[in-house]
Amino acid sequence: MSSLAKKKPALFSAGSNIEINLNNISKKFPGVQALDDVDFFLKSNQVHALVGENGAGKSTLMKIIAGIQKPDEGEILLNGSKVEFNSPREAQNHGISIVHQEADLFPSLTVAENVFANDLPTKGLLNSVDFKKMKELTDDLLNKFGHPEINSNDIVSTLSVGQRQIVEIIKALSLNSNIIIFDEPTAVLTPSETEILFSIINDLKKNNIAIAYISHRLEEIGKISDYVSVLKDGKLMATKETDNINPSEMIKLMVGRELKDIFEDEVREINSNEILLEVENLKNSEFFNDINFNIKKGEIVGFSGLIGAGRTELALTLFGYYKAESGKVILDGEELKISNPTEAIESGIVYVSEERREKGLFTEMTVRNNLISPNLQLVSNNGVLNNNKISDLTKSSINQLNIKTNSDETFVLKLSGGNQQKIALGKWLPKNPKLLIIDEPTRGVDVGAKQEVYKILRKLAREGTSIMLISSELPEIIGMCDRTIVMQSGKINGEILKKDFSEELILKYASGYTGDMIN
Amino acid sequence: MNENIKKLLKIREIPLFIFIIIVAILGSFISPYFLLSANFSAVFLGLSLDAIIVIAMCMLLISGGFDLSVGANLAFSGMVCAICMANFGMPWPLACIVAISCGTMVGVANGLMVTRFYVNPLIATLGMLTIVRSLVLIISGDRAMSSFPKAFQLIGQGKIFGIPNPIWIFILFVILAEFVLRTMKMGRLPFFVGSNPQAAELSGLRVKRIQFILYALCGCAAGIAGVVSTARLNAAFPLAGNGAELRIIAAAVIGGCSLSGGQGSIIGAFLGVVLMAIINNLLILTGVPVYYQGLVAGLVLIGAVGFDEYSKRRRGEIRS
């Protein structure tokens, strides 16, 4: 189909008026009611923002609009007539496209091929791919978006995370869509890229395009949107005109309780000044340089920063997964020479990954097998597994962590995100770790489980385990940590003590932005 | 249906075992020779080499690995054993040790390629298959070798309590491997490694070492099978074990091993070998031309795996 190529460039071309209404949408996944009787709408010339905690159902709702998932109940009306999308392609044919949270690109192909993946422009009788035209159109879009430094012939895997996000946005624009869904587009963008995105969104709005906008950054929502809907645990809490609601009201609706309730502001004194971990001039030139910090016994130290700041890589280096080129790691007064995770665990360092399904869990194995995976030594006598010991360990972990599962023989992939996270964290507890490194502990976890994860972490800290808490959620850092270290592009930009915590200050260090904050 | 029966049927080995019994009962009606003990003994003697190798292959598959070189390795080890005795005049026990070591070294080479040089297992062991087949031709000059000491022949031809030695050998190995996999700490490791290698490494398991050992073990099993083969036939053939690799992998998969790792059992894999052997035996007894054997084997493989995947999805154990 070369008709699309003729219509190019689609960017900023005015379309006809459009309105999409979702009525009484419900969707269930194994173990979770992702959406429960939700109404939502999008109209030309308007940005409708959607906010809610992780796991509130925002992404699921957007995936339903984009044809990636089908609702169990409810109807979708496009300009008043009922439609049903069986695939993303059908939704695209109706002019709907989505800019994904985690870039859904083909890493080994060029930027241009990615942008035109679903409809390569062709020429001639043989319908051969018109590479020249594809390149021109892509370059044109990149220029308009203010990113001439990205070349349309670049291989996507060589781009930075932020640049990939831009390719994703351009891909959506190129589809000539009149409904565009942005799923947390700014999470990986720098402040200046964010500004450019906002001006693009404003231009799109003027050209009759309907926009859905998901973000965690509530101040952005005030700037960019016309309507706000708040989701909580799959239920629609409210839909309001943006002018009639302020961020703190949004938060209240999102969590159903005040923030301070979640991080019950108990006084947790760090009972020792003894330093557990001392990192000196640690360097791995691919990810980070010249890292110096320490963690006291029983202290919770936050690691803030934007995605790609090098926090996860630093954690994985301390854990022996990556090798440091130079520098010292001293634990309990002894210099560590760790070359793999096995040795790290032996010396008392454990790591809970942000990608729990990919790196933390054996999802196609049972709860029981997951819980014993790092503790095989503990549950065996002379190399022979002892079933009683296994049952004891599993039962006590399930009770202690309040894991909601039918039995210990349930497959982990059937559990909800929160319960999966409790297992990913809980499997380490029998080892009594000295240092727990936990990466985005509550990503994709519902509010209730979130609180429980926090409770477990606090209890560990009280018992003397030191915690290195990597998080991109500022309320989490502020509510949980005794101190936070802020990283940007592989270096430590600053250290903030609990008494000085503020979202603004953390963001300032994280972006390396020295002027006044956007607000 | 009774909950306990349901639970039993979910274990892959039980339906497979029942299916084998059904095939055997049908077989006894189809051919009067089928249930004769001589026939049975011949069937099990015939599958003994596959059974020895399938044990190691099953563990390797569980860990997410794969070895295409076992058939070639069987011929190679068998030939090494023959040459050591016939050309170098080694005493037979020493020849056996040398042969099994050679087989193990092939596995070690596979393991090194996969775990140290990150060669895809399919490519590494496919390359090894052609290399080792070529080595067999080089050392043998494409000639079969025969006539070995009586004591050596006993390994393959002797009987204890009326049961041929090769059958004792695989029974021993099946029991040993099943015990290790079910009850030993180290027996759990392949499951973790195969289920999610990244999570396994981050859980502190030595993933590479485990994979390496399993490749070596697979080579070792092929080496043992090679020695048994030479002893049983009192001859080493350059083309021994031709096509065994795919037959063995197919049997393991029928028995519940997953090619993507993380699943499988020794008993299941063994039953897979038994099923294929019994079906082949019936085809021969009923005079079906040899040409049909491959067709039936292929249908059984696809049917077994297809049925299993389909029923798992219907039960909702996997999200499709």
Coordinates of all heavy atoms in Angstrom, one line a residue, chain B residues 35-112:
Chain B
L35 N 4.6 -60.3 23.1 CA 4.8 -60.4 24.5 C 5.8 -61.5 24.9 O 6.1 -61.7 26.0 CB 3.5 -60.7 25.2 CG 2.6 -59.4 25.4 CD1 1.4 -59.8 26.2 CD2 3.4 -58.4 26.2
L36 N 6.4 -62.2 23.9 CA 7.4 -63.2 24.2 C 8.6 -62.5 24.9 O 9.0 -61.4 24.5 CB 7.9 -63.9 22.9 CG 6.8 -64.7 22.2 CD1 7.4 -65.4 21.0 CD2 6.2 -65.8 23.2
S37 N 9.2 -63.2 25.9 CA 10.2 -62.6 26.6 C 11.5 -62.4 25.8 O 12.2 -61.4 25.9 CB 10.6 -63.4 27.9 OG 11.3 -64.6 27.5
A38 N 11.7 -63.2 24.8 CA 12.8 -63.0 23.9 C 12.6 -61.7 23.1 O 13.6 -60.9 23.0 CB 12.9 -64.2 22.9
N39 N 11.4 -61.4 22.7 CA 11.2 -60.2 21.9 C 11.4 -59.0 22.9 O 12.0 -58.0 22.5 CB 9.7 -60.2 21.4 CG 9.5 -58.9 20.6 OD1 10.2 -58.6 19.7 ND2 8.4 -58.2 21.0
F40 N 10.8 -59.1 24.1 CA 11.0 -58.0 25.0 C 12.4 -57.7 25.3 O 12.9 -56.6 25.4 CB 10.2 -58.4 26.3 CG 9.1 -57.5 26.6 CD1 8.0 -57.5 25.8 CD2 9.2 -56.5 27.6 CE1 6.9 -56.7 26.0 CE2 8.2 -55.7 27.8 CZ 7.0 -55.7 27.1
S41 N 13.2 -58.8 25.6 CA 14.6 -58.7 25.8 C 15.3 -58.0 24.7 O 16.1 -57.1 24.9 CB 15.2 -60.0 26.1 OG 16.5 -59.9 26.4
A42 N 14.9 -58.4 23.5 CA 15.5 -57.8 22.3 C 15.2 -56.3 22.2 O 16.0 -55.5 21.9 CB 15.0 -58.5 21.0
V43 N 13.9 -55.9 22.5 CA 13.5 -54.5 22.4 C 14.4 -53.7 23.4 O 14.9 -52.7 23.0 CB 12.0 -54.4 22.7 CG1 11.7 -52.9 22.9 CG2 11.2 -54.9 21.6
F44 N 14.5 -54.2 24.6 CA 15.2 -53.4 25.6 C 16.7 -53.4 25.4 O 17.4 -52.4 25.6 CB 14.9 -53.9 27.0 CG 13.6 -53.3 27.6 CD1 12.4 -53.9 27.3 CD2 13.6 -52.1 28.3 CE1 11.2 -53.4 27.7 CE2 12.4 -51.6 28.7 CZ 11.2 -52.2 28.4
L45 N 17.2 -54.5 24.8 CA 18.6 -54.5 24.5 C 18.8 -53.5 23.3 O 19.8 -52.7 23.3 CB 19.0 -55.9 24.0 CG 20.5 -56.2 23.8 CD1 21.2 -55.9 25.1 CD2 20.7 -57.6 23.3
G46 N 17.9 -53.4 22.4 CA 18.0 -52.5 21.3 C 18.0 -51.0 21.7 O 18.6 -50.2 21.1
L47 N 17.2 -50.7 22.8 CA 17.1 -49.3 23.2 C 18.1 -48.9 24.2 O 18.2 -47.8 24.6 CB 15.7 -49.0 23.7 CG 15.1 -49.7 24.9 CD1 15.7 -49.0 26.2 CD2 13.6 -49.6 25.0
S48 N 19.0 -49.9 24.6 CA 19.9 -49.6 25.7 C 20.8 -48.4 25.5 O 21.1 -47.6 26.3 CB 20.6 -50.8 26.1 OG 21.4 -51.3 25.0
L49 N 21.4 -48.3 24.2 CA 22.3 -47.3 23.9 C 21.6 -45.9 24.0 O 22.1 -45.0 24.6 CB 22.9 -47.5 22.5 CG 23.7 -48.7 22.3 CD1 24.3 -48.8 20.9 CD2 24.8 -48.9 23.4
D50 N 20.4 -45.8 23.4 CA 19.7 -44.6 23.4 C 19.3 -44.2 24.9 O 19.4 -43.1 25.3 CB 18.3 -44.7 22.7 CG 18.6 -44.7 21.2 OD1 19.7 -44.6 20.8 OD2 17.6 -44.7 20.4
A51 N 19.0 -45.3 25.7 CA 18.6 -45.0 27.1 C 19.8 -44.4 27.9 O 19.6 -43.5 28.7 CB 18.1 -46.3 27.7
I52 N 21.0 -44.9 27.6 CA 22.1 -44.4 28.4 C 22.3 -42.9 28.0 O 22.5 -42.1 28.9 CB 23.4 -45.2 28.0 CG1 23.3 -46.6 28.6 CG2 24.6 -44.5 28.6 CD1 24.4 -47.6 28.1
I53 N 22.2 -42.6 26.7 CA 22.5 -41.2 26.3 C 21.4 -40.3 26.8 O 21.6 -39.2 27.2 CB 22.8 -41.1 24.8 CG1 24.0 -42.0 24.5 CG2 23.0 -39.7 24.4 CD1 24.3 -42.0 23.0
V54 N 20.1 -40.8 26.7 CA 19.0 -39.9 26.9 C 19.0 -39.4 28.4 O 18.5 -38.3 28.6 CB 17.6 -40.6 26.6 CG1 17.1 -41.4 27.8 CG2 16.6 -39.6 26.2
I55 N 19.6 -40.1 29.3 CA 19.7 -39.6 30.7 C 20.5 -38.3 30.7 O 20.0 -37.4 31.3 CB 20.4 -40.7 31.5 CG1 19.5 -42.0 31.6 CG2 20.6 -40.2 32.9 CD1 20.2 -43.2 32.0
A56 N 21.7 -38.3 30.1 CA 22.5 -37.1 30.1 C 21.8 -36.0 29.3 O 21.8 -34.8 29.7 CB 23.9 -37.4 29.6
M57 N 21.3 -36.4 28.1 CA 20.6 -35.4 27.3 C 19.5 -34.8 28.0 O 19.3 -33.6 27.8 CB 20.1 -36.1 26.0 CG 19.5 -35.2 25.0 SD 20.8 -34.2 24.2 CE 21.3 -35.3 22.9
C58 N 18.7 -35.5 28.8 CA 17.6 -35.0 29.5 C 18.0 -33.9 30.4 O 17.5 -32.8 30.5 CB 16.9 -36.1 30.2 SG 15.6 -35.6 31.3
M59 N 19.1 -34.2 31.2 CA 19.6 -33.1 32.1 C 20.1 -31.9 31.4 O 19.9 -30.8 31.8 CB 20.8 -33.7 32.9 CG 20.4 -34.9 33.8 SD 21.8 -35.2 34.9 CE 21.6 -36.9 35.1
L60 N 20.7 -32.1 30.2 CA 21.2 -31.0 29.4 C 20.0 -30.2 28.9 O 20.1 -28.9 28.9 CB 22.1 -31.5 28.3 CG 22.8 -30.5 27.4 CD1 23.7 -29.7 28.2 CD2 23.5 -31.2 26.3
L61 N 19.0 -30.9 28.4 CA 17.8 -30.2 27.9 C 17.2 -29.4 29.0 O 16.7 -28.2 28.8 CB 16.8 -31.2 27.3 CG 17.2 -31.8 25.9 CD1 16.2 -32.9 25.6 CD2 17.1 -30.7 24.8
I62 N 17.1 -30.0 30.2 CA 16.5 -29.2 31.3 C 17.2 -27.9 31.6 O 16.6 -26.9 31.9 CB 16.5 -30.1 32.6 CG1 15.5 -31.3 32.4 CG2 16.1 -29.3 33.9 CD1 15.6 -32.3 33.5
S63 N 18.5 -28.0 31.5 CA 19.3 -26.8 31.7 C 19.3 -25.8 30.6 O 20.0 -24.8 30.6 CB 20.8 -27.2 32.0 OG 21.5 -27.4 30.8
G64 N 18.5 -26.1 29.5 CA 18.4 -25.2 28.4 C 19.5 -25.5 27.3 O 19.6 -24.8 26.4
G65 N 20.3 -26.6 27.5 CA 21.3 -26.9 26.5 C 20.8 -27.9 25.5 O 19.6 -28.2 25.4
F66 N 21.7 -28.4 24.7 CA 21.3 -29.1 23.5 C 22.6 -29.8 22.9 O 23.6 -29.1 22.9 CB 20.8 -28.0 22.5 CG 20.0 -28.5 21.4 CD1 18.6 -28.7 21.6 CD2 20.5 -28.8 20.2 CE1 17.8 -29.1 20.6 CE2 19.7 -29.2 19.1 CZ 18.4 -29.4 19.3
D67 N 22.5 -31.1 22.6 CA 23.7 -31.7 22.0 C 23.4 -32.5 20.8 O 22.8 -33.6 20.9 CB 24.5 -32.5 23.1 CG 25.8 -33.0 22.6 OD1 26.1 -32.8 21.4 OD2 26.6 -33.5 23.4
L68 N 23.9 -32.1 19.6 CA 23.6 -32.9 18.4 C 24.7 -33.8 18.1 O 24.6 -34.6 17.2 CB 23.5 -31.9 17.2 CG 22.2 -31.1 17.1 CD1 22.2 -30.2 16.0 CD2 21.0 -32.1 17.0
S69 N 25.8 -33.8 18.9 CA 27.0 -34.6 18.5 C 27.0 -36.0 19.2 O 28.0 -36.7 19.0 CB 28.3 -33.8 18.9 OG 28.4 -33.7 20.3
V70 N 26.0 -36.3 19.9 CA 26.1 -37.6 20.7 C 26.2 -38.8 19.8 O 26.9 -39.8 20.1 CB 24.9 -37.8 21.7 CG1 25.1 -36.8 22.9 CG2 23.6 -37.5 21.0
G71 N 25.4 -38.8 18.7 CA 25.5 -40.0 17.8 C 26.9 -40.2 17.2 O 27.4 -41.3 17.2
A72 N 27.4 -39.1 16.7 CA 28.8 -39.2 16.2 C 29.8 -39.5 17.2 O 30.7 -40.3 17.0 CB 29.2 -37.8 15.6
N73 N 29.6 -39.0 18.4 CA 30.5 -39.3 19.6 C 30.4 -40.8 19.9 O 31.4 -41.3 20.3 CB 30.0 -38.4 20.7 CG 31.1 -38.3 21.8 OD1 32.1 -38.9 21.7 ND2 30.8 -37.5 22.8
L74 N 29.2 -41.3 19.8 CA 29.1 -42.8 20.1 C 30.0 -43.6 19.2 O 30.8 -44.4 19.6 CB 27.6 -43.2 20.0 CG 27.2 -44.6 20.2 CD1 25.7 -44.6 20.6 CD2 27.4 -45.6 19.1
A75 N 29.9 -43.3 17.9 CA 30.7 -44.0 16.9 C 32.2 -43.7 17.2 O 33.0 -44.7 17.1 CB 30.4 -43.5 15.5
F76 N 32.5 -42.5 17.5 CA 33.9 -42.1 17.7 C 34.5 -42.9 18.9 O 35.5 -43.5 18.8 CB 34.0 -40.6 18.0 CG 35.3 -40.1 18.4 CD1 36.4 -40.2 17.5 CD2 35.5 -39.5 19.6 CE1 37.6 -39.7 17.8 CE2 36.8 -39.0 19.9 CZ 37.8 -39.1 19.1
S77 N 33.8 -42.9 20.1 CA 34.3 -43.5 21.3 C 34.4 -45.1 21.0 O 35.4 -45.7 21.4 CB 33.4 -43.3 22.4 OG 33.0 -41.9 22.5
G78 N 33.4 -45.6 20.3 CA 33.4 -47.0 20.0 C 34.6 -47.4 19.2 O 35.3 -48.4 19.4
M79 N 34.9 -46.5 18.2 CA 36.0 -46.8 17.3 C 37.4 -46.6 18.1 O 38.3 -47.4 17.9 CB 35.9 -45.8 16.1 CG 36.9 -46.1 15.0 SD 36.6 -47.8 14.3 CE 35.2 -47.6 13.3
V80 N 37.4 -45.6 18.9 CA 38.7 -45.4 19.7 C 38.9 -46.6 20.6 O 40.1 -47.1 20.6 CB 38.6 -44.1 20.6 CG1 39.7 -44.1 21.7 CG2 38.6 -42.9 19.8
C81 N 37.9 -47.1 21.2 CA 38.0 -48.3 22.0 C 38.6 -49.5 21.2 O 39.5 -50.2 21.6 CB 36.7 -48.7 22.6 SG 36.7 -49.9 23.8
A82 N 38.0 -49.7 20.0 CA 38.4 -50.8 19.1 C 39.9 -50.6 18.7 O 40.7 -51.6 18.8 CB 37.5 -50.8 17.9
I83 N 40.2 -49.4 18.3 CA 41.6 -49.2 17.8 C 42.6 -49.4 18.9 O 43.7 -50.0 18.8 CB 41.7 -47.8 17.2 CG1 41.0 -47.8 15.9 CG2 43.2 -47.4 17.0 CD1 40.9 -46.4 15.2
C84 N 42.3 -48.9 20.1 CA 43.2 -49.1 21.3 C 43.5 -50.6 21.5 O 44.6 -50.9 21.8 CB 42.6 -48.5 22.5 SG 42.7 -46.7 22.6
M85 N 42.5 -51.4 21.4 CA 42.7 -52.8 21.6 C 43.4 -53.5 20.5 O 44.4 -54.2 20.6 CB 41.3 -53.5 21.9 CG 40.8 -53.2 23.3 SD 39.3 -54.1 23.7 CE 38.1 -53.3 22.6
A86 N 42.9 -53.2 19.3 CA 43.3 -54.0 18.1 C 44.7 -53.4 17.6 O 45.6 -54.2 17.3 CB 42.3 -53.9 17.0
N87 N 44.8 -52.1 17.5 CA 46.1 -51.6 16.9 C 47.2 -51.3 18.0 O 48.3 -51.5 17.7 CB 45.8 -50.3 16.2 CG 44.9 -50.5 15.0 OD1 44.4 -51.6 14.8 ND2 44.8 -49.5 14.2
F88 N 46.8 -50.9 19.2 CA 47.8 -50.5 20.2 C 47.9 -51.6 21.2 O 48.8 -51.5 22.1 CB 47.4 -49.2 20.9 CG 47.3 -48.1 19.9 CD1 46.3 -47.2 20.0 CD2 48.2 -47.9 18.8 CE1 46.2 -46.1 19.1 CE2 48.1 -46.9 17.9 CZ 47.1 -45.9 18.1
G89 N 47.1 -52.7 21.1 CA 47.3 -53.8 22.1 C 47.1 -53.4 23.5 O 47.6 -54.1 24.4
M90 N 46.2 -52.4 23.8 CA 46.0 -52.1 25.2 C 45.1 -53.1 25.8 O 44.3 -53.8 25.1 CB 45.2 -50.8 25.2 CG 46.0 -49.5 25.1 SD 44.9 -48.1 25.4 CE 45.9 -46.9 24.6
P91 N 45.3 -53.4 27.1 CA 44.3 -54.2 27.8 C 42.9 -53.6 27.8 O 42.8 -52.3 27.7 CB 44.9 -54.3 29.3 CG 45.9 -53.1 29.4 CD 46.3 -52.8 28.0
W92 N 41.9 -54.4 27.7 CA 40.6 -53.9 27.5 C 40.1 -52.8 28.5 O 39.5 -51.9 28.1 CB 39.5 -55.0 27.2 CG 39.2 -55.8 28.4 CD1 39.8 -57.0 28.7 CD2 38.2 -55.6 29.4 NE1 39.2 -57.5 29.8 CE2 38.3 -56.6 30.3 CE3 37.3 -54.5 29.6 CZ2 37.5 -56.7 31.4 CZ3 36.5 -54.6 30.7 CH2 36.6 -55.7 31.6
P93 N 40.4 -53.0 29.8 CA 39.9 -52.0 30.7 C 40.4 -50.6 30.4 O 39.7 -49.6 30.4 CB 40.3 -52.5 32.1 CG 40.6 -53.9 31.9 CD 41.1 -54.1 30.5
L94 N 41.7 -50.6 30.1 CA 42.4 -49.3 29.8 C 41.8 -48.7 28.5 O 41.5 -47.5 28.4 CB 43.9 -49.5 29.6 CG 44.7 -48.3 29.3 CD1 44.6 -47.3 30.5 CD2 46.2 -48.6 29.0
A95 N 41.5 -49.6 27.5 CA 40.9 -49.1 26.3 C 39.6 -48.5 26.5 O 39.2 -47.4 26.0 CB 40.8 -50.3 25.3
C96 N 38.8 -49.1 27.4 CA 37.5 -48.5 27.8 C 37.6 -47.1 28.4 O 36.9 -46.2 28.0 CB 36.8 -49.4 28.8 SG 36.2 -51.0 28.1
I97 N 38.6 -47.0 29.3 CA 38.8 -45.7 30.0 C 39.2 -44.7 29.0 O 38.7 -43.6 29.0 CB 39.9 -45.9 31.1 CG1 39.3 -46.7 32.2 CG2 40.3 -44.5 31.6 CD1 40.3 -47.2 33.2
V98 N 40.1 -45.0 28.1 CA 40.6 -44.1 27.0 C 39.4 -43.7 26.2 O 39.2 -42.5 25.9 CB 41.7 -44.7 26.2 CG1 42.0 -43.8 25.0 CG2 42.9 -44.9 27.0
A99 N 38.5 -44.6 25.8 CA 37.4 -44.3 24.9 C 36.4 -43.4 25.6 O 36.0 -42.4 25.0 CB 36.7 -45.6 24.5
I100 N 36.1 -43.7 26.8 CA 35.1 -42.9 27.5 C 35.7 -41.5 27.8 O 35.0 -40.5 27.7 CB 34.7 -43.6 28.9 CG1 33.9 -44.9 28.6 CG2 33.8 -42.6 29.7 CD1 33.7 -45.7 29.8
S101 N 37.0 -41.4 28.0 CA 37.6 -40.1 28.2 C 37.5 -39.3 26.9 O 37.3 -38.1 26.9 CB 39.1 -40.2 28.6 OG 39.2 -41.1 29.7
C102 N 37.7 -40.0 25.7 CA 37.6 -39.3 24.5 C 36.2 -38.7 24.3 O 36.0 -37.6 23.8 CB 38.0 -40.2 23.3 SG 39.7 -40.5 23.1
G103 N 35.2 -39.6 24.6 CA 33.8 -39.1 24.5 C 33.6 -37.9 25.4 O 33.0 -36.9 25.0
T104 N 34.1 -38.0 26.6 CA 34.0 -36.9 27.5 C 34.6 -35.6 27.0 O 34.1 -34.5 27.1 CB 34.5 -37.2 28.9 OG1 34.0 -38.5 29.3 CG2 34.2 -36.2 29.9
M105 N 35.8 -35.8 26.4 CA 36.5 -34.6 25.8 C 35.7 -33.9 24.7 O 35.7 -32.7 24.6 CB 37.9 -35.0 25.2 CG 38.9 -35.3 26.3 SD 38.9 -34.3 27.7 CE 39.5 -32.8 27.0
V106 N 35.0 -34.7 23.9 CA 34.1 -34.1 22.9 C 33.0 -33.2 23.6 O 32.8 -32.1 23.3 CB 33.4 -35.2 22.1 CG1 32.3 -34.5 21.2 CG2 34.4 -35.9 21.2
G107 N 32.5 -33.7 24.7 CA 31.5 -33.0 25.5 C 32.1 -31.7 26.1 O 31.5 -30.7 26.1
V108 N 33.4 -31.9 26.6 CA 34.1 -30.7 27.2 C 34.3 -29.7 26.1 O 34.1 -28.5 26.4 CB 35.5 -31.2 27.8 CG1 36.4 -30.0 28.0 CG2 35.3 -32.0 29.0
A109 N 34.6 -30.1 24.9 CA 34.8 -29.1 23.8 C 33.5 -28.4 23.6 O 33.5 -27.2 23.4 CB 35.3 -29.8 22.6
N110 N 32.4 -29.1 23.5 CA 31.1 -28.5 23.3 C 30.8 -27.5 24.5 O 30.4 -26.4 24.2 CB 30.0 -29.6 23.4 CG 29.9 -30.4 22.1 OD1 30.2 -29.9 21.0 ND2 29.4 -31.6 22.2
G111 N 31.1 -27.9 25.7 CA 30.8 -27.1 26.8 C 31.7 -25.8 26.8 O 31.2 -24.7 27.1
L112 N 32.9 -25.9 26.4 CA 33.8 -24.7 26.3 C 33.2 -23.8 25.2 O 33.2 -22.6 25.4 CB 35.2 -25.1 25.9 CG 36.0 -25.7 27.0 CD1 37.4 -26.1 26.5 CD2 36.2 -24.7 28.1

